[in-house]
Amino acid sequence: MTVPSGPASAEVPAVRCRSLGVSFGTVQALHDISLDLAAGRIHALVGQNGAGKTTLAKALGGLQAPDNGTVCIAGNQIPPGDVRAAKSAGLAMVHQHFSLPPSFTVAEALELTAARPESHSVYRRTELYRRWQNEVAEVGGTNVLATRIRDLPVETRQSLEIVRALVSEARILLLDEPTALLTPAATDTLFERLRGLRDDGVTILIVLHKLREVAAVADTVSVLRDGKLVLGPSEISGVSQGQLSDAIVGPAPDADRAIAVEAAANAEQQLLLELVRVSSRESAFEPGLASIDLAVEAREIVGIAGVEGNGQRSLVSVIAGLSAVTEGSVLLGGEEMTSAPPARRRLRGLRLVPFDRNSEGISRSAPLWLNQSALRLIGRRRQFPLISLRQYKRQASEAMDLWQVRYNTVAQPAESLSGGNVQRLVLSRELASGLEVLVAAQPTRGLDFSATNFVRSSLRGLRDAGAGVLLVSSDLDELFELSDRLLVMYGGSIVARFNAPYDRQAVGDAMTGALR
Amino acid sequence: MTGGLQRVASTVLLVVVSFMLTALILWVSGYRVGTVLSGIIQGSITATGAATSTIRWTIPLLLIGLGVVIGFRAGFFNIGGQGQFYVGACSALVVSLGWREGPVPLVIMCGMIAAILAGMAWSLLPGYLRVQFGTDEVLTTLMMSFIGALVLQYLTAGPLRNPSGTGQTAASERIPEAFRITDSSGVSVTALLLVGGVAVLVWLLLERTRFGLTMTLVGRNPTMARWQGIDVRRVGLGTFALSGALSGLAGAVELHGPGARLVTGFSPEVGFTAVVVALVGMLSVWGTVVAAVFFGGLQSAILFLPIVTDLPPPALVLLHGMVAFLVTIKFRAVRRRRAGLAAKPVVG
C-alpha cells in the first residue's frame, strides 16, 4: 500500500470527484457531480428515494464504474470501478444491507475480511479469539467473538460492519443508510461511535434519510435530487431545516399542481376500509405498524406519503391479509376481517396494485390470459369443476383490449410486455367488477409520462364511480394531485394528516421526521 | 407453436444423444453395438411377449410419472414415488389378505383406495413439512422413500411373510387369484382402461379446472399467487396428496396385476425412473405418456437382453442414467435462465 506522503490532509480532500455521471440504460442516475469532502469530518448525504445517493456512494467506493468523471481518494485517482484501488487508498464501504456471512462466527468473519491475514492458513480457535478481542471490545465484549453473525441483534451487526471496515485499515468510511434498521437508541450509539472515529481522524460520508439525524451527527450536508447535487457540501450550522426540506423535495413543477380535486359531493359516505389501532410485527427491512388508525370512505382517494421504508409495505400487506396483525382490527365494508385470509378480503371487494408489479403483480412466465384471470380462480368451490379455457381467454382478451394492453396473443408470457403494459394488465384484472376499495402501491413507478397519466386518470375515474382508493406513493406531486386527504407515515405510524390544499413544506417536514 | 415443436425436438435429440453415448461406451468396452441395439428392439417390441412386457412396465411408470408432473405443476419436486408405490402396494395387500371372502370388485376397490390413502399419507408428511417449515421436499420425499422400502422389507420378512416360501428373498403370501385385474403378463383391458382413465383425469385436472390453473400460478410465482388471494399452503398440500395418491395407486395396480404378492425390493427403480419419465415428457400429461412407453420398452429390453448378448443388465441402466443426466442438465439450464430473467433489476 502506497500512501503518498503529501502535506497533512487539511488541504487534500479525503474524497474528491469531478463531473461524475452514471446512467442505467436511459435513466441518468447521476448527473455531473463535483464534490470535495474534507478529511476528518462527518459528511451527510441526503435526498429522496431514487435521487442517486446509493449510486454516488458506490461510484465513490469503486463499486460502480462511472460513465464519465473522476474520483480521487486521498489524492490518488481511482481507475473507474476499481474497488481494490479504492480500498488500498483507504476507503471502506458499509452497505445498506449487511455483508458479513451470517453463518460465520464474529471472529471468523473478521479474519476473513482483515486487510492482512496472518500468513499461515490454519488457525486455532483460541488464537482467533485472542487476535480479535480488542476490536470487538467496544461492540459487545469478547464473548461476542464465538457468536454467529446471524444470531446477533441488528445494532450489533451494524457495529460489526463498521468494525469490519476499520480492520481493513480504512481512513475513509462510506455508510449507506446505516440507521434504516436501527432503533433511536441504537442510532444514538452509532452516532457516538462515528464522532469518536472522526476525532481519531477518520473521514465519514453517511447517507441519511432523516433530517433530524443529519442535524444530530453531521458536520456538513449535501443534497441530491434527481441525480444532481442541488446543495452543499455546506456546513450544517449554515443550513436551516426548511432549506434542506426544500432542496430534497424540490420546487413544485406548476403553481396550481397542488390543488386537490374537489371533494365528491356525496353526503352519504360509506366506510369501505377501516384500520383501528392496528399494530404489526416488523419485517426484515421495515418497521412494523404502530397503532395505525385509518379509514377510506366511498368516493375518496386517501394518499399515504412517506419516505420509503417507513411501514408502507407493512401497511399494504396487513390490509391484503399477507401479514398478521398483532393488535387492533381491520374492517372491510364494515365487516371484521382482522384474521380473514386474503381470499375472503378479495371476495369482499378488496383489490390491490402491489408495490412490485413484476414479482407481486404478475407471474412473468405464465401466459397473459392466466395472469388476467387469476382473480377468477378463488372462492368458487361450489361451482362445476371443469372450466372453458376458451371463455377464460376470450374474457381476458376483452378486458385487456378495454385497458389498451398491447399484445400479440393471449398465450404469450407476461414477461414479454413492457412496464407500462404490465401495469395496464394488472389494472385490467384488479379494476374489474366487484371492486369496492383499491389499495394502489406505487402505481406509476417506473412508468413513462403517458402510462402515468393513464393510471392516474383510472384512479380518479374509480373514485368518481364510487370506489374508495388508498394510494401509497413516494411521488409527492402524484399524491397532491390525486388525494382528497393525505396521511404521512414515519417509522410505522401516521405522524400527520393533511387536507387540501397541501403545504409542501409541512408535508416534507413530516416525511423526514422533522415534526418530532 | 414453433416453441413447442422446438422443445419436443430438443428432448428427442437428447434421448438420441444418450443412446449414442451409451453405444460409444459399449463399443469401447468391446460389445457389439449392433447386437445390443437389435436386442433392445427385440426385447421391447418384436420378440414374443415383448410388446406386452413394454406395456406392463409402462403402467407403473406412467402412474407415478403423472404424480411427478402434478407436483411439478405447482413447483414441488416429489421424487419419493418409490416409497409411495411400496406403501400403496402393502396397503392393498393387507386389504386383500384381510378380506379374502369379500366380494371381488369391492375388495379390489377397497385395496386401491387403501393404496391411494397410503401413498397420500407418505407424500403429505413431506408436503406438510414443506409448506409449514419450508423443508426441502427433494430430501424429505427421498428419505420417505427409503422408509417405504424398509416398511416393505419388514412386512415381507415379518408379519406378512409366506411361511411356506422357499425363495431366497422374503415374500408375502399371494393374494387370491380372483382379486387380480391382470394375469402375470401385467396387461389387461381393465388395467389399460384404468390407467388411460387416470391419464385423462389428470389432464382434465391440470388443464381444465380452476385448481389446475391455480397450481400453475403457484408453481410459477407463489408470491403473485398469494397477492391474488390464493391459499398457497392449501394448494401445496393438495398437490402433494394427489401426487402421492397416484404413486400409491400404481402400487395397488402392481399388486392386483402382475405382482399378486409382495417381494422385498420388487421393481426397485420404477419410482425413480418415473421422475425421468416426467422430465423427458416435458412435464406435460401426453408427453409423459409417450416417455412412459419409451422407458417401459427400455425396462422390458433390460430384462430381455441377457438372452441375446452377454451384456449384464446394468449396462442398459447406464442408458437410463445418461438420459436422466442430460434431461436434468437441460431442465436446470432452463430454470437458471428463467431465474436469471426474474432477477434482472428493474430500474426505478
Side-chain angles (χ1 to χ4, degrees), chain A residues 249-442:
Chain A
V249 179
D254 304 316
D256 59 347
R257 209 53 179 298
I259 300 172
V261 182
E262 206 178 310
N266 194 339
E268 190 209 8
Q269 280 183 330
Q270 190 193 345
L271 214 50
L272 293 178
L273 168 67
E274 202 182 356
L275 270 65
V276 185
R277 311 192 65 76
V278 169
S279 301
S280 75
R281 224 165 266 122
E282 63 192 315
S283 71
F285 301 108
E286 268 212 332
L289 302 180
S291 205
I292 292 249
D293 279 308
L294 182 147
V296 179
E297 298 179 341
R299 292 177 196 285
E300 71 168 351
I301 297 179
V302 177
I304 299 282
V307 176
E308 258 173 88
N310 274 289
Q312 294 95 323
R313 273 185 172 272
S314 301
L315 175 68
V316 172
S317 66
V318 154
I319 295 173
L322 296 172
S323 51
V325 168
T326 51
E327 241 177 277
S329 48
V330 178
L331 292 94
L332 279 171
E335 200 179 323
E336 170 72 33
M337 287 276 171
T338 311
S339 52
R344 251 191 76 207
R345 305 180 193 217
R346 289 293 201 159
L347 296 172
R348 191 64 189 77
L350 175 67
R351 296 292 181 268
L352 302 157
V353 176
F355 285 92
D356 182 353
R357 69 183 78 95
N358 286 308
S359 69
E360 296 162 341
I362 59 161
S363 169
R364 293 168 55 87
S365 61
L368 289 180
W369 68 267
L370 185 53
N371 270 297
Q372 214 288 327
S373 317
L375 279 178
R376 306 175 67 192
L377 300 176
I378 54 168
R380 296 175 187 235
R381 274 191 233 173
R382 260 170 247 138
Q383 293 186 5
F384 184 66
L386 292 187
I387 54 172
S388 153
L389 284 200
R390 190 180 303 164
Q391 193 200 341
Y392 268 55
K393 288 176 180 168
R394 186 171 45 76
Q395 294 191 357
S397 79
E398 282 170 8
M400 289 192 292
D401 290 343
L402 190 68
W403 286 87
Q404 298 159 26
V405 182
R406 253 169 285 151
Y407 63 98
N408 295 324
T409 85
V410 289
Q412 76 191 74
E415 65 198 351
S416 58
L417 297 184
S418 71
N421 272 319
V422 167
Q423 196 68 320
R424 282 171 201 259
L425 169 63
V426 171
L427 294 175
S428 80
R429 178 183 67 216
E430 302 292 331
L431 274 59
S433 63
L435 181 149
E436 286 192 6
V437 57
L438 176 77
V439 177
Q442 307 285 15

Side-chain angles (χ1 to χ4, degrees), chain A residues 79-234:
Chain A
D82 190 337
V83 188
R84 282 159 184 264
K87 261 193 181 159
S88 56
L91 181 143
M93 274 197 82
V94 177
H95 294 277
Q96 202 163 3
H97 303 303
F98 300 140
S99 60
L100 289 174
S103 62
F104 278 36
T105 65
V106 171
E108 288 165 350
L110 290 178
E111 185 67 29
L112 177 74
T113 54
R116 271 170 302 192
E118 301 296 303
S119 52
H120 57 286
S121 49
V122 180
Y123 300 109
R124 296 219 331 273
R125 205 167 287 236
T126 46
E127 194 184 317
L128 271 189
Y129 292 167
R130 191 153 27 80
R131 186 171 314 151
W132 296 112
Q133 59 195 4
N134 290 333
E135 273 76 7
V136 297
E138 44 197 310
V139 301
T142 40
N143 52 356
V144 87
L145 278 172
T147 316
R148 293 196 190 284
I149 302 279
R150 61 163 172 253
D151 297 331
L152 293 171
V154 174
E155 55 264 33
T156 313
R157 289 177 76 172
Q158 178 77 61
S159 322
L160 264 181
E161 294 283 338
I162 296 171
V163 171
R164 176 199 52 93
L166 292 176
V167 298
S168 61
E169 303 186 336
R171 301 300 295 158
I172 303 164
L173 277 184
L174 299 189
L175 294 99
D176 191 5
E177 292 186 34
T179 58
L181 302 177
L182 297 186
T183 60
T187 302
D188 290 343
T189 317
L190 171 71
F191 288 171
E192 191 87 5
R193 187 113 201 283
L194 293 181
R195 277 190 289 268
L197 289 170
R198 173 197 55 196
D199 296 342
D200 293 341
V202 176
T203 311
I204 294 166
L205 175 68
I206 180 170
V207 175
L208 288 172
H209 256 328
K210 297 164 191 168
L211 295 188
R212 206 164 34 83
E213 296 177 352
V214 173
V217 72
D219 298 321
T220 83
V221 61
S222 311
V223 179
L224 280 181
R225 190 175 71 232
D226 297 332
K228 298 189 189 98
L229 187 66
V230 293
L231 184 120
S234 315

